[in-house]
């Protein structure tokens, strides 16, 4: 229900990744989830991603997703 308390937010959790598809922001998701989408080719390597409130940048420029 809407009155249920929100889960606690821990700064810097691995769930704080966002990505953009067709101009829509999707997230938060885990780093592993985002990585698997990129590795399976479901998202292009240039997909804009950001961590928490950080800047948007292409996934292939983000150190966490380089292979």
């Amino acid at each position: 229900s809407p009155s249920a308390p929100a889960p606690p937010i821990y700064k810097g959790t691995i769930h704080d990744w966002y990505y953009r598809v067709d101009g829509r922001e999707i997230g938060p998701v885990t780093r592993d989830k985002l990585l698997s989408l990129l590795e399976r080719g479901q998202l292009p390597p240039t997909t804009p991603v950001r961590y928490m409130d950080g800047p948007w940048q292409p996934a292939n420029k983000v150190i966490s997703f380089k292979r």
Side-chain angles (χ1 to χ4, degrees):
S1 73
S3 59
I9 302 297
Y10 299 107
K11 279 232 177 280
T13 68
I14 58 170
H15 295 77
D16 287 333
W17 288 92
Y18 298 83
Y19 62 98
R20 273 197 184 139
V21 176
D22 297 328
R24 291 186 307 126
E25 183 176 319
I26 300 169
V29 297
T30 63
R31 177 184 170 277
D32 288 348
K33 166 78 171 170
L34 193 43
L35 195 54
S36 73
L37 290 170
L38 292 160
E39 287 182 334
R40 291 198 306 249
Q42 291 180 272
L43 292 174
T46 53
T47 298
V49 302
R50 71 183 172 116
Y51 181 66
M52 296 178 61
D53 294 324
W56 288 101
Q57 47 195 328
N60 60 2
K61 300 279 193 237
V62 178
I63 195 125
S64 302
F65 302 110
K66 285 189 175 167
R67 279 294 189 233

